[in-house]
Amino acid sequence: MSETTTCGLATRAIHGTTQTDAHGSPHTPIYNTTTFAFPSTAELLDVIDGKKPGALYTRYGLNPSIFALEETLAGLEGAELAWAFCSGMAAETALFLTHGRDGIVCVGDAYGGTLELLAAQLPLLGIQTHLILGSEQERLDDLLAGGAKLIFFETPTNPTLELFDIRTMAAKAHAHGARVAVDNTFASPVNQHPLELGADFVVHSATKYLGGHSDLTAGALMGSKELLLPVWNWRKNLGSMIAPETASLLSRSLRTLVVRVQQQNASAQAVAEAMARHPKVSRVFYPGLPDFPGHGLAKEQMHGFGGMLTIEVKDDGAAATRVADRLRLFALAPSLGGAESLVTQPCTTTHHGLTPEERARRGISDAMLRLSIGLEDSADLIADLEQALQS
Ligand code: PLP
């Protein structure tokens, strides 16, 4: 374990691994290899049998580039262990198959792919899944009493930025012998530490803030040794391992995570405040706005309000589409967390797969535009939004 576990987050992001380089490089090199040779069968068996740590085979995750990444990822979330994956969906799948077989309750909104996995694929394997709204706490109590063993949620959620009280959810789950998994993608470890608040697992689409440059696809799962060790074989045999090149690129990105996200927090606040004053915007969903329903909870359980916000354009969905199409700096693209600002209209992208009725039930209107605030000057982003709303 790295000696930096008691240091601040920015230090851990840079010095979070004990993997060293024989030539003195400050960064773990890319071990661009599928396998590792041993001087003797006895030494090979020591690693295979887990008696000694060591590199062995890349798909198993036994590769120093992956070790270095995982050590840093664990440090960032204050976890005993982190497993890296080839995508956020791969991390979720391994989590659900390992710890969700007795029933999964997804509370509130989630990424469309997660909802589809839970609603359409996992039930084919006989896994009972329940998608409930954040307001349906009584149903959650009933499902826990009925034996569901894994609660999964995002906080803040996508795209309405709804917040859930992680401490309360964890207490509720633990009282029934269930576990809590939080998708911390939107907040990032800079703004929220779910494990400190009682969650058992943190899952990330590292494709987003952790990667931070829209140039890699990866995922991560963090938690205790006891809960993560059983996931290892699922990841190994599902073949959902991150590539060493991607692991190294992600380690590179983590070194700047703190400054990037802090800048995105500040810019998102400025954009949210400007949009809240704009006559052509009917609503702004951002935890940093004092009149936002989740503001009080955000102040309690988050360290920053994040770089994601959603605006609702006055009139209708067609007006929102026109605004999205007129933006120049914001790219019309369905992702988030990168250096460049992005805009999506949830009804045409992330939540396109839901019926209009289901979107309405979830409070997702066609007039919503979700903004991922990048690292551009906030004044330029505001000017871009103003010209698009104006024309
Ligand atoms: N979780 C959230 C909140 C996401 O936004 C996404 C993707 O957009 C995922 C999980 C899935 O991640 P990936 O695309 O890396 O598989």
Side-chain angles (χ1 to χ4, degrees), residues 86-92 110-114 152 154 156-158 183-186 203-208 216-219 334-336 350 370:
C86 60
S87 70
M89 289 310 299
E92 287 183 20
Y111 166 61
T114 305
F152 176 91
E154 296 180 13
T157 62
N158 175 21
D183 183 331
N184 206 26
T185 302
F186 261 43
V203 65
H204 276 278
S205 168
T207 313
K208 311 299 181 331
L216 64 86
T217 302
S335 191
L336 60 114
T350 50
R370 191 192 77 180

Side-chain angles (χ1 to χ4, degrees), residues 96-149:
F96 293 151
L97 291 177
T98 313
H99 290 287
R101 295 196 302 274
D102 293 326
I104 305 167
V105 188
C106 175
V107 185
D109 255 303
Y111 166 61
T114 305
L115 295 178
E116 195 178 340
L117 175 69
L118 288 167
Q121 270 94 50
L122 294 182
L124 299 177
L125 305 178
I127 299 178
Q128 288 202 350
T129 60
H130 313 272
L131 276 52
I132 67 171
L133 298 184
S135 54
E136 295 176 317
Q137 291 295 317
E138 279 166 24
R139 275 193 73 198
L140 177 60
D141 295 336
D142 292 346
L143 290 165
L144 285 169
K149 285 285 176 269

Side-chain angles (χ1 to χ4, degrees), residues 68-370:
L69 170 67
E70 291 180 335
E71 217 179 339
T72 307
L73 286 171
L76 287 175
E77 285 288 4
E80 278 182 344
L81 276 183
W83 298 143
F85 290 83
C86 60
S87 70
M89 289 310 299
E92 287 183 20
T93 303
L95 166 69
F96 293 151
L97 291 177
T98 313
H99 290 287
R101 295 196 302 274
D102 293 326
I104 305 167
V105 188
C106 175
V107 185
D109 255 303
Y111 166 61
T114 305
L115 295 178
E116 195 178 340
L117 175 69
L118 288 167
Q121 270 94 50
L122 294 182
L124 299 177
L125 305 178
I127 299 178
Q128 288 202 350
T129 60
H130 313 272
L131 276 52
I132 67 171
L133 298 184
S135 54
E136 295 176 317
Q137 291 295 317
E138 279 166 24
R139 275 193 73 198
L140 177 60
D141 295 336
D142 292 346
L143 290 165
L144 285 169
K149 285 285 176 269
L150 185 67
I151 302 182
F152 176 91
F153 56 91
E154 296 180 13
T155 181
T157 62
N158 175 21
T160 56
L161 286 297
E162 186 178 7
L163 268 85
F164 294 112
D165 187 330
I166 299 172
R167 270 204 187 92
T168 305
M169 290 286 223
K172 203 175 256 207
H174 295 161
H176 287 90
R179 311 278 188 199
V180 164
V182 175
D183 183 331
N184 206 26
T185 302
F186 261 43
S188 92
V190 180
N191 291 326
Q192 185 166 267
H193 288 122
L195 298 178
E196 270 176 21
L197 298 167
D200 303 284
F201 302 99
V202 169
V203 65
H204 276 278
S205 168
T207 313
K208 311 299 181 331
Y209 286 101
L210 301 184
H213 297 73
S214 308
D215 59 3
L216 64 86
T217 302
L221 179 68
M222 292 86 156
S224 68
K225 259 189 197 148
E226 184 199 348
L227 293 176
L228 254 69
L229 286 176
V231 182
W232 197 83
N233 270 321
W234 281 98
R235 176 182 67 163
K236 177 174 79 122
N237 295 328
L238 287 167
S240 45
M241 181 50 58
I242 192 169
E245 297 88 340
T246 312
S248 178
L249 193 59
L250 182 51
S251 291
R252 185 286 317 260
S253 295
L254 292 179
R255 290 176 205 126
T256 56
L257 176 71
V258 175
V259 284
R260 282 189 283 107
V261 172
Q262 284 175 347
Q263 179 65 34
Q264 284 160 319
N265 287 346
S267 291
Q269 183 76 36
V271 172
E273 287 172 10
M275 290 300 99
R277 290 190 296 269
H278 200 285
K280 295 218 171 149
V281 172
S282 53
R283 241 174 119 182
V284 180
F285 300 75
Y286 184 63
L289 293 178
D291 59 353
F292 185 69
H295 181 64
L297 178 57
K299 279 205 295 190
E300 273 172 38
Q301 76 176 12
M302 296 180 78
H303 309 292
F305 299 121
M308 299 299 299
L309 65 124
T310 294
I311 61 172
E312 200 165 48
V313 176
K314 269 197 184 146
D315 301 330
D316 55 15
T321 305
R322 284 195 296 276
V323 172
D325 288 345
R326 280 186 201 127
L327 284 164
R328 296 181 192 129
L329 283 179
F330 285 84
L332 182 62
S335 191
L336 60 114
E340 53 290 303
S341 294
L342 304 178
V343 59
T344 55
Q345 190 174 6
C347 71
T348 63
T349 49
T350 50
H351 292 71
H352 191 56
L354 302 183
T355 61
E357 295 73 32
E358 183 56 19
R359 282 199 298 269
R361 197 174 80 92
R362 291 174 172 272
I364 302 169
S365 76
D366 290 359
M368 279 181 173
L369 292 177
R370 191 192 77 180

Side-chain angles (χ1 to χ4, degrees), residues 33-36 38 54-63 66 241:
T33 178
T34 55
T35 191
F36 294 83
F38 289 81
L56 175 69
Y57 190 62
T58 292
R59 180 174 50 78
Y60 293 8
L62 301 179
N63 175 307
I66 298 170
M241 181 50 58

